[in-house]
Amino acid sequence: MSKVLFFKKPAMKHTLIAFTLGALALPVWAADPPVPYPADYREWHHVKSMVIDQGHPLYEAFGGIHHLYANPQALAGYKAGQFPDGAVIVFDLLEATAADAAITEGSRKVLGVMHKDAEKYASTGGWGFEGFAGGDQTNRVVGANAADACFACHAPQEDHDYVFSRLRD
Amino acid sequence: MSKVLFFKKPAMKHTLIAFTLGALALPVWAADPPVPYPADYREWHHVKSMVIDQGHPLYEAFGGIHHLYANPQALAGYKAGQFPDGAVIVFDLLEATAADAAITEGSRKVLGVMHKDAEKYASTGGWGFEGFAGGDQTNRVVGANAADACFACHAPQEDHDYVFSRLRD
């Protein structure tokens, strides 16, 4: 039940349900607070990019060309090696079209988000994880599955506050 | 001689040489004013990216992965289809390393710059062009050759103010 307390305003209805259903096993609606959609991320610092091609072990999930963006708090976090609350990193995955000896960008596949809040997301290293299919802020593909779908792979990066990417010049 | 007048402070020496040498054919030092190095471009808007591979007609000059960045004036220009004076677009070309079904970024090959000033760069569509080898602001690779080395290819883009790239979301 304790996680229900982390819900702020949007959790009112869920809290009522929680009290009603009482003794049931930990329900889906007791997940961590939803990760906010990062409305202005295209104005943030472009950290780096990468193309993941067929044959790569992550192709199924992340095939295409992706760009990482950091808000100012995350940019400070990259430099410090530890990210403050409020740091947000976006993994912007686009289709990669290979033709005529070039790879060009296509439509958006998914917008991945890591949002740092040590208290709200304590169970996943202090990071909230979400994916917005096609960049659509109403189409959340991670939801309550962040621990399995995201954090399990990020956990070995503990020495860099669970972030894979590094800042370059 | 008129172009020499466009030189501001750094051109003092060149102006003196111009008066001394007088009647010689148009000399190299009478080129358009140098394009400023865009010191803070990594904080600008990331417009788009592309990989150019072996076999592409531009591979020799632009092989690798490049990112385009726009300062606020250039971002407005992309939206308007016409760029105001002060607009600067950076073409940031990095080595692209293909291995293990992925393409990752390597070291910087060249930092290409387009700097809009309709008066200063009237002979090349209102744009000053420069390339900084390795991103080194002291290593200019275009200099007085902008008309041949850059503008000749950009000229057909007149309808979009000589800019090839387009803004995406």
Side-chain angles (χ1 to χ4, degrees):
Chain A
M1 288 297 296
S2 65
K3 284 190 179 176
V4 173
L5 299 177
F6 292 147
F7 277 103
K8 297 292 193 298
K9 206 164 59 181
M12 180 70 82
K13 188 170 64 180
H14 297 152
T15 306
L16 292 174
I17 296 169
F19 278 110
T20 306
L21 300 181
L24 293 177
L26 192 68
V28 170
W29 38 259
D32 294 329
V35 172
Y37 177 83
D40 55 347
Y41 79 94
R42 286 291 281 114
E43 301 311 315
W44 297 354
H45 181 87
H46 170 231
V47 177
K48 55 166 288 188
S49 301
M50 183 177 171
V51 177
I52 290 180
D53 208 348
Q54 283 187 321
H56 191 282
L58 295 176
Y59 180 75
E60 191 66 29
F62 301 128
I65 182 168
H66 68 253
H67 306 297
L68 288 156
Y69 299 98
N71 73 353
Q73 297 97 312
L75 186 57
Y78 274 109
K79 292 172 181 169
Q82 186 75 26
F83 293 77
D85 279 1
V88 182
I89 300 170
V90 163
F91 176 97
D92 195 12
L93 178 63
L94 310 176
E95 298 277 3
T97 305
D100 303 328
I103 298 173
T104 52
E105 299 169 334
S107 58
R108 183 160 285 113
K109 296 180 74 176
V110 70
L111 192 70
V113 180
M114 289 179 66
H115 188 120
K116 186 75 183 278
D117 188 310
E119 186 184 348
K120 283 183 179 168
Y121 307 112
S123 64
T124 47
W127 289 97
F129 294 85
E130 188 54 275
F132 298 91
D136 176 0
Q137 58 183 299
T138 69
N139 195 350
R140 292 172 178 263
V141 295
V142 172
N145 302 315
D148 290 343
C150 306
F151 188 62
C153 282
H154 282 261
Q157 294 293 320
E158 184 178 0
D159 286 349
H160 198 251
D161 204 0
Y162 306 109
V163 172
F164 278 96
S165 52
R166 303 289 185 269
L167 207 59
R168 63 161 173 80
D169 71 354
Chain B
M1 287 296 297
S2 65
K3 284 190 179 177
V4 172
L5 299 176
F6 292 145
F7 277 104
K8 299 291 193 300
K9 207 164 55 181
M12 181 69 82
K13 189 170 63 181
H14 298 153
T15 306
L16 293 174
I17 296 168
F19 279 108
T20 306
L21 300 180
L24 293 177
L26 192 69
V28 170
W29 40 258
D32 293 330
V35 172
Y37 177 83
D40 55 348
Y41 79 95
R42 286 291 283 113
E43 301 310 316
W44 297 353
H45 180 88
H46 170 231
V47 177
K48 56 166 287 191
S49 301
M50 183 177 173
V51 177
I52 290 181
D53 208 350
Q54 282 187 323
H56 191 284
L58 295 175
Y59 180 75
E60 191 67 29
F62 301 129
I65 181 168
H66 67 253
H67 307 296
L68 287 157
Y69 300 98
N71 72 353
Q73 297 96 310
L75 186 56
Y78 274 109
K79 292 172 181 168
Q82 186 73 29
F83 294 77
D85 280 1
V88 182
I89 299 171
V90 163
F91 176 98
D92 194 13
L93 179 62
L94 310 176
E95 298 277 3
T97 305
D100 302 328
I103 298 173
T104 52
E105 300 169 332
S107 57
R108 183 160 286 112
K109 295 180 75 177
V110 70
L111 192 70
V113 180
M114 288 178 66
H115 188 121
K116 185 74 182 279
D117 188 310
E119 187 183 349
K120 283 183 180 171
Y121 306 112
S123 64
T124 47
W127 290 97
F129 294 84
E130 188 54 277
F132 297 91
D136 176 359
Q137 58 183 298
T138 69
N139 195 349
R140 292 171 178 264
V141 294
V142 172
N145 301 315
D148 291 342
C150 306
F151 187 63
C153 281
H154 282 261
Q157 295 292 318
E158 184 177 1
D159 286 349
H160 198 249
D161 204 359
Y162 306 108
V163 172
F164 277 97
S165 51
R166 302 289 184 268
L167 207 60
R168 64 162 172 81
D169 70 352

